[in-house]
Amino acid sequence: MLTSVLRNLLRSVVVLVVVTFVVFFLMYGNGPGIARAVMGMQAEVTEENVAAKMVELGLDQPLLVQYGHWVQGLFTGDLGRSFYTGQSVTEALATRVPVTLAITAVALVLTALLSVLLGVTAAVKGGRIDRILQFLSVLGTAVPSFITSIVLVFLFAIFWRVLPATGYVSPDVSTEGWAASITLPVLALLIGAVSSAAQQFRTATLDQLGKDYVRTLRARGVSERAVIFRHVLRNAAAPGLTVLSLTVFSLLGGAVFIEQVFALPGLGQLANSSAQIFDVPMVMGTVLVTAVIVLIVNFLGDLAITLLNPKARTR
Amino acid sequence: MRLVTRRSMLTGSAAVTAGAILAACTGGANNTGGGSAAGGAKDTLTLGMTADIEGWDPNNQPGYQGWPGEAIWGVLCRANEFGELEPSLAESWEISDDRRSFTAHLRQGVTFSDGAIADAEAVKANFEFATTNEATRSLYEGVTFDVPDAQTITLTWPEPQPLMSDRVFRIKLTSPDLIDSGNLNDKPVGFGPYLLDEAGTTRGSVYSFTKNQEHWEADVYPYSKLVCKVYDSETAALNALKTGQIDGTLVNAQSYDEVTGSGFEVKEMNGQTTRLLLTDHKGEIIPALGDVRVRQAINMVFDKQAMVDNLYAGHGEVSHQIFRPGSAAYIDDLADPYPFDVDKAKSLMAEAGYADGFEIELPTMDGQNHDVLMPYITQQLAELNITVKQVPLTGANAIGDLLSGTYPVVLWQLGNIGDSAQDIDIVVRDTGYWNLEHQKDDYVDEQWDIICTGTDEEAEAAQKAINRYIIDQAWFAPMVNPTSFYAHTADVVIDNVSDIEGLAPKLRDFQ
């Protein structure tokens, strides 16, 4: 068990180094181009001016040296400053990460609950309920999130006016405001995620329901409720957790778009706007945080599966 | 047992989340509205910005949607939509006959938000600071200062300044102490009509301001609070407008019917001219472009009215000149010098010896309406056997490549600035960054000298002469002045857009 945990940890660190290394080299590879872009259209452009800008931004150093400085800064909590605004990357991330985490975490919890509920119900009940849930699931997966977002905004913000169309309110300012500001983005993320995850839970539950031990339990007179909740769900949990950890990745990816539509000042919006203007320190900051979140989720998912799986525990 | 515990936790989470959503549905929606539309009174003006500011450095503020900057900083003089100076910190001023010196007489009793006095020394410190910024360095290089007293300052350039108004209104004034500290991006200090409300501000998302009651023009800015919200997508900005979260935002032509149909008012502006820039006048890269008949033929193959009707859905005006109507260079009542006539264009190409045409590379970039324009441009140039090869520009090198002179012909929607001398400086003169090949022209230089040193009348005549010359020489193929739109609630009144670029209302235009 401990070996497995340590192996996962080591793998996570290696992945983090590889991801940041590759992205760093891709982003910083064109130093003169970045310096020119930062100078803007109206600047007087001469080779000397571009060279001076590169020195000012630290782009004149060899790439490995620049990466070394970046990693060094990482250990002191200094991820550099925006090429444009001079804002500390760490400071920017501190305001952005909670927004993205809020919508993805709430969406994940609801996805877990609803997908288990719907998936198990479809598998156990079968018949018309299964077909209806499957149809809704396919529909939810097929409809792109931008369509979902537009429909949600039209209904809840424009037509009924019960929820705000855009913006984020910190829970420090108002709990109600916070809940209101994340509801539509969460719903937009949720529909696709639940549709996909519920299908997986349905398949995993059906798989378990067809196993011999279920027949044996039923033959012994164990109640159907106990069979489902105490035995089937427990055995279906491992593939379910894998699905949920994958859902986190799709939620994070979806957040990039959702934050644009709902004007949420989160990581996705920061990554998008920074990448467009080649504000590479900001881009690196968002890449780092996203990679860390993904690796933590992956690690916790693996850990949970290990804990649930007696064979893995004894290894 | 473990399973029961996990189930309890999940149930608990669900309850909390459901509770939060219910709370949101029942009471949260109305808390986010900030505009006057929601409140019904002019207490708060909430503007949607479709582009963020790049920090608080006063030297690095956008002219376009630069409301946070207009709120915070004051200027020596401000400019109206045609670049004519109006009082600000300077109550009055004189420009020397040789157009080298600008003497400003400053109003008394003005202080920055950090308590420093906004006097002549502070003005001097700011203009000196501008010489250290690469975007403004060349504009203030060699300027000398004379400060006879605290309320008077004379700025003198080594050369005559035909663009005096641009040089004067461009600099946003901040406290000399802040300049000395070097921390200009951390926190803005100014004496503008509003003060930053730090508690209500999240960089990249929302900027809040409270009225500066000390400002001498407090009455001109009727709103006690200003909020600027950043929207990366127009969809989000439109939704915010429709739900009363903002009072106004820029919208594109595709959204025109939607916003007017929803009962919003729209202020129309024509601050751009869609044009082909035929910058290789001397044919150094594409020899055919060195022949004026070829350039004129190119002008004649575009049906401008059809472009307005079909490519801009009627939201625009046919354009024969690159300059803003009403500006000094603009020639009133100019008949179309190159009416749409494909046959005549073909014969001009044949006369010039280019009946078989040639190939050009046209760079394309996202956000430039190229997806709509390029098919038509390509099709019409093919009438002259001119083959268009589109080159998409992306990545960090895009702007550098565009302006590098690699592409002697470029299709672009460029601004037609209210002070037409600026357009001449930027797109006509060989030093201008939009004169991509930087090809020198003696006639333009002669007229520019007159603009620099002549009387006001002579300078205006010289601007018109340059306009007529570049029309005759067909340096450009102007096509359409597309209309841009600012959509706003009925509570907000925008009678006039005083933006010299004509692209968005200025803060003082919101009444």
Side-chain angles (χ1 to χ4, degrees):
Chain A
M1 171 85 186
L2 186 62
T3 314
S4 171
V5 170
L6 287 174
R7 195 186 301 128
N8 274 350
L9 266 178
L10 183 66
R11 192 176 59 200
S12 299
V13 171
V14 171
V15 170
L16 192 62
V17 171
V18 170
V19 167
T20 57
F21 186 82
V22 170
V23 176
F24 191 94
F25 274 68
L26 288 174
M27 291 300 297
Y28 278 88
N30 182 5
I34 295 169
R36 178 68 187 80
V38 173
M39 288 169 76
M41 198 174 260
Q42 293 183 37
E44 188 186 351
V45 180
T46 61
E47 279 185 24
E48 293 75 26
N49 285 351
V50 173
K53 196 71 186 175
M54 286 180 69
V55 171
E56 182 190 326
L57 300 176
L59 299 169
D60 58 321
Q61 303 283 322
L63 275 175
L64 272 175
V65 174
Q66 289 184 53
Y67 183 70
H69 287 155
W70 186 80
V71 172
Q72 203 178 349
L74 196 58
F75 286 108
T76 59
D78 177 11
L79 293 172
R81 287 183 173 272
S82 160
F83 281 169
Y84 290 86
T85 67
Q87 188 184 19
S88 152
V89 174
T90 315
E91 182 191 310
L93 292 173
T95 64
R96 304 287 187 145
V97 171
V99 180
T100 303
L101 279 186
I103 60 168
T104 49
V106 174
L108 182 66
V109 169
L110 291 175
T111 300
L113 289 172
L114 291 173
S115 55
V116 168
L117 183 70
L118 296 175
V120 171
T121 304
V124 172
K125 297 285 183 188
R128 186 179 295 175
I129 291 178
D130 184 25
R131 285 197 294 278
I132 291 171
L133 288 174
Q134 282 219 68
F135 173 74
L136 291 175
S137 183
V138 169
L139 194 69
T141 312
V143 177
S145 59
F146 73 89
I147 299 282
T148 314
S149 306
I150 290 169
V151 171
L152 288 172
V153 168
F154 175 76
L155 289 178
F156 292 97
I158 296 173
F159 191 70
W160 289 318
R161 295 220 167 201
V162 292
L163 289 166
T166 63
Y168 179 76
V169 177
S170 166
D172 300 340
V173 175
S174 157
T175 311
E176 279 190 4
W178 172 78
S181 66
I182 67 164
T183 299
L184 289 184
V186 164
L187 278 176
L189 283 174
L190 197 62
I191 290 171
V194 169
S195 302
S196 168
Q199 284 280 26
Q200 303 295 330
F201 274 105
R202 174 185 172 275
T203 307
T205 307
L206 278 177
D207 185 45
Q208 293 299 320
L209 286 173
K211 294 267 169 73
D212 289 343
Y213 77 88
V214 173
R215 199 163 34 246
T216 308
L217 286 169
R218 283 173 174 160
R220 283 170 55 193
V222 177
S223 73
E224 190 63 17
R225 191 185 178 92
V227 169
I228 300 298
F229 288 99
R230 200 169 294 164
H231 301 282
V232 171
L233 260 185
R234 185 170 196 166
N235 289 318
L241 281 169
T242 307
V243 169
L244 283 179
S245 63
L246 291 172
T247 302
V248 173
F249 311 149
S250 68
L251 289 176
L252 279 172
V256 175
F257 174 77
I258 293 299
E259 287 173 11
Q260 307 285 319
V261 173
F262 293 98
L264 299 174
L267 268 183
Q269 195 198 45
L270 182 66
N272 186 48
S273 58
S274 302
Q276 284 181 25
I277 57 173
F278 306 98
D279 196 350
V280 278
M282 283 291 185
V283 175
M284 282 305 298
T286 59
V287 166
L288 175 74
V289 171
T290 310
V292 167
I293 293 172
V294 167
L295 289 171
I296 288 174
V297 169
N298 206 28
F299 176 77
L300 292 177
D302 283 353
L303 189 65
I305 290 167
T306 308
L307 288 171
L308 285 169
N309 185 346
K311 289 179 190 168
R313 253 182 292 168
T314 53
R315 269 209 299 265
Chain B
M1 179 65 193
R2 184 184 295 139
L3 190 64
V4 173
T5 307
R6 281 158 48 85
R7 195 165 63 200
S8 305
M9 285 173 66
L10 288 175
T11 312
S13 303
V16 168
T17 313
I21 289 177
L22 278 175
C25 289
T26 53
N30 296 328
N31 292 342
T32 53
S36 57
K42 291 197 173 186
D43 56 344
T44 301
L45 176 66
T46 309
L47 303 177
M49 295 166 63
T50 54
D52 194 9
I53 57 169
E54 294 178 359
W56 289 118
D57 184 341
N59 268 330
N60 191 27
Q61 294 299 310
Y64 176 59
Q65 302 188 79
W67 301 302
E70 290 172 51
I72 289 293
W73 292 292
V75 289
L76 196 52
C77 292
R78 66 186 186 208
N80 68 11
E81 59 269 39
F82 291 112
E84 293 155 354
L85 293 177
E86 295 176 348
S88 188
L89 180 62
E91 288 180 303
S92 61
W93 57 89
E94 298 101 40
I95 297 172
S96 65
D97 291 341
D98 62 4
R99 293 178 189 262
R100 290 174 57 230
S101 296
F102 182 90
T103 301
H105 305 285
L106 311 182
R107 71 181 68 239
Q108 287 192 318
V110 179
T111 54
F112 292 101
S113 57
D114 67 352
I117 298 169
D119 59 6
E121 286 297 340
V123 172
K124 179 183 171 187
N126 278 273
F127 278 82
E128 283 179 334
F129 180 56
T131 64
T132 65
N133 183 293
E134 66 257 11
T136 51
R137 184 187 299 133
S138 62
L139 308 180
Y140 302 98
E141 216 157 32
V143 171
T144 55
F145 303 91
D146 182 26
V147 183
D149 59 65
Q151 305 313 125
T152 311
I153 182 169
T154 299
L155 297 85
T156 303
W157 277 262
E159 305 291 336
Q161 287 302 311
L163 299 169
M164 189 65 87
S165 61
D166 172 70
R167 305 299 185 256
V168 170
F169 82 74
R170 182 186 284 266
I171 300 301
K172 294 175 170 58
L173 303 171
T174 191
S175 161
D177 293 339
L178 186 68
I179 294 173
D180 291 343
S181 75
N183 300 322
L184 282 105
N185 258 316
D186 292 347
K187 186 180 171 182
V189 175
F191 57 76
Y194 290 90
L195 303 166
L196 182 69
D197 169 15
E198 289 185 70
T201 294
T202 303
R203 277 189 175 198
S205 174
V206 58
Y207 302 92
S208 297
F209 307 87
T210 53
K211 184 113 165 234
N212 178 5
Q213 299 295 353
E214 305 297 315
H215 195 269
W216 63 91
E217 278 189 323
D219 294 346
V220 173
Y221 299 88
Y223 298 91
S224 60
K225 196 175 171 194
L226 169 70
V227 179
C228 298
K229 294 182 175 178
V230 181
Y231 296 97
D232 280 354
S233 84
E234 184 174 313
T235 305
L238 264 179
N239 289 337
L241 180 68
K242 286 197 277 190
T243 54
Q245 289 187 297
I246 57 173
D247 293 320
T249 183
L250 285 163
V251 296
N252 62 33
Q254 286 74 38
S255 304
Y256 179 85
D257 290 341
E258 188 180 348
V259 292
T260 51
S262 300
F264 293 100
E265 301 198 0
V266 171
K267 187 70 185 171
E268 300 192 354
M269 299 156 287
N270 289 91
Q272 290 182 306
T273 305
T274 303
R275 68 191 82 171
L276 274 174
L277 293 94
L278 309 170
T279 66
D280 187 13
H281 324 125
K282 296 186 175 173
E284 290 171 355
I285 298 174
I286 300 177
L289 290 176
D291 192 313
V292 67
R293 290 169 295 187
V294 171
R295 302 196 299 268
Q296 290 173 333
I298 289 173
N299 266 268
M300 297 174 88
V301 292
F302 300 113
D303 185 347
K304 298 171 184 176
Q305 190 58 54
M307 290 180 77
V308 170
D309 295 342
N310 301 321
L311 303 185
Y312 289 95
H315 298 303
E317 293 168 3
V318 163
S319 173
H320 311 313
Q321 314 175 46
I322 63 164
F323 297 104
R324 170 97 58 92
S327 66
Y330 190 80
I331 301 167
D332 292 324
D333 304 324
L334 177 79
D336 186 350
Y338 304 110
F340 175 54
D341 190 337
V342 176
D343 291 337
K344 190 169 178 187
K346 284 178 177 172
S347 67
L348 275 173
M349 290 288 282
E351 271 179 44
Y354 293 101
D356 294 335
F358 50 92
E359 184 183 286
I360 56 173
E361 291 186 331
L362 280 186
T364 64
M365 210 185 272
D366 282 345
Q368 301 301 324
N369 206 24
H370 283 152
D371 48 342
V372 173
L373 294 171
M374 277 295 183
Y376 180 72
I377 301 298
T378 303
Q379 172 195 312
Q380 291 308 103
L381 288 177
E383 295 276 357
L384 304 180
N385 293 321
I386 298 173
T387 310
V388 170
K389 184 182 170 193
Q390 293 183 28
V391 184
L393 298 184
T394 57
N397 288 333
I399 291 175
D401 287 348
L402 178 70
L403 302 180
S404 66
T406 307
Y407 306 100
V409 182
V410 166
L411 173 70
W412 218 258
Q413 289 186 172
L414 273 184
N416 49 42
I417 304 170
D419 179 0
S420 47
Q422 280 194 51
D423 269 335
I424 293 173
D425 194 38
I426 293 168
V427 299
V428 178
R429 294 182 68 213
D430 61 301
T431 49
Y433 58 88
W434 272 111
N435 184 342
L436 304 171
E437 306 305 325
H438 301 291
Q439 291 174 353
K440 202 168 171 56
D441 187 276
D442 290 341
Y443 183 80
V444 169
D445 287 349
E446 280 169 26
Q447 297 304 314
W448 184 254
D449 282 343
I450 296 171
I451 293 169
C452 291
T453 58
T455 63
D456 288 347
E457 291 73 23
E458 288 169 339
E460 184 172 335
Q463 286 201 43
K464 284 188 165 58
I466 287 178
N467 187 10
R468 191 168 293 282
Y469 177 73
I470 61 173
I471 290 171
D472 291 342
Q473 291 297 314
W475 280 16
F476 305 89
M479 300 162 185
V480 178
N481 285 351
T483 308
S484 55
F485 307 95
Y486 192 85
H488 59 93
T489 63
D491 293 337
V492 175
V493 176
I494 304 174
D495 287 331
N496 180 54
V497 174
S498 58
D499 179 19
I500 192 172
E501 296 185 60
L503 296 175
K506 305 296 274 187
L507 191 54
R508 63 180 179 274
D509 298 332
F510 292 94
Q511 295 295 314

